[in-house]
Amino acid sequence: MTYAQQLKIVQTIPVQEGETLVVTCPFCYGPKKLAVSKSGGKILWYCYRASCEAKGAYSGRRNQKAVRDYLSNTAPTKNKPVKPIPSITTSVENHPPAMEYLHSVNSVEAYKNKLINIRYAPAEDRVLFYGNNGAVGRSLRRFGPKWLSYGELPDGIHVGTGDIAVLVEDTPSACAVSRLDGLVGVALLGTTITSGIKKTLNKFTKLYLVLDKDASSKAISEVMKIDRSIRVRLTGSDLKSLSTNQILSVINKG
Ligand SMILES: [Zn+2]
């Protein structure tokens, strides 16, 4: 069988970007003999049976997801270690410093209105903000890493209800945004719109991205490549320290 014929068959195997599948070889029919992997849009295949000639590599055009990952600077995540969410937690209301912290970052309303689950992890001394399958924890200690993430948060953390999304870097800022009716704060948990987050944005009618005023023009053009409909707003102030009126004026300017 020629390389081109093999490729045609291998391309029908539903292997996802960043994944390796071991399947029944479609050429020698050996069960669990053919390994197929896809990375950066490149397909590799190889049959473990010595008598089988199935083997090849194809670096055709990058598929859409590989392109998006590339644009958003995220390598396909494969074996990234996942830190489990702390199992022992208590209500933030049992721990005054946790409530003080939430007050200081305008996140109490989001918590009280149940727009986000927030708890305190005593062993870690961290305030946990929960997303779908994970959480981010803000340390209340003066030393050590300020933020840690637990579990998996490919969608970022969405706070609030409405048709308009405001993309922000961190979760307290997303909580602060959610105080405004109709606005959903989406914490990117970084400065890039990953492909996972991008997928969650279809349901919104308007998208804003709030970046630090020092954001590079490169960062902005990367965003525009990902979605031209995103309205970028630059601000010198931290959203989580602003009143709702101040947040509105950041979003409505420009
Ligand atoms: Zn084979």
Side-chain angles (χ1 to χ4, degrees), residues 90-145:
T90 176
S91 166
V92 280
E93 286 168 79
N94 296 332
H95 190 66
M99 286 307 287
E100 277 162 38
Y101 165 71
L102 291 180
H103 272 289
S104 74
V105 291
N106 288 311
S107 297
V108 173
E109 283 168 77
Y111 165 73
K112 294 266 188 199
N113 294 327
K114 297 188 163 56
L115 299 177
I116 181 171
N117 184 21
I118 305 177
R119 295 186 59 82
Y120 175 66
E124 289 79 6
D125 196 13
R126 285 178 186 272
V127 175
L128 302 185
F129 297 80
Y130 290 77
N132 275 344
N133 289 306
V136 290
R138 168 58 156 78
S139 177
L140 296 181
R141 290 184 189 144
R142 227 169 284 191
F143 307 102

Side-chain angles (χ1 to χ4, degrees), residues 29 42 82 85 91-92 113 122 124 138 155 162 164 167 233 254:
Y29 306 107
K42 185 173 180 177
V82 171
I85 303 174
S91 166
V92 280
N113 294 327
E124 289 79 6
R138 168 58 156 78
D155 309 341
I164 301 172
L167 280 56
R233 297 290 181 260

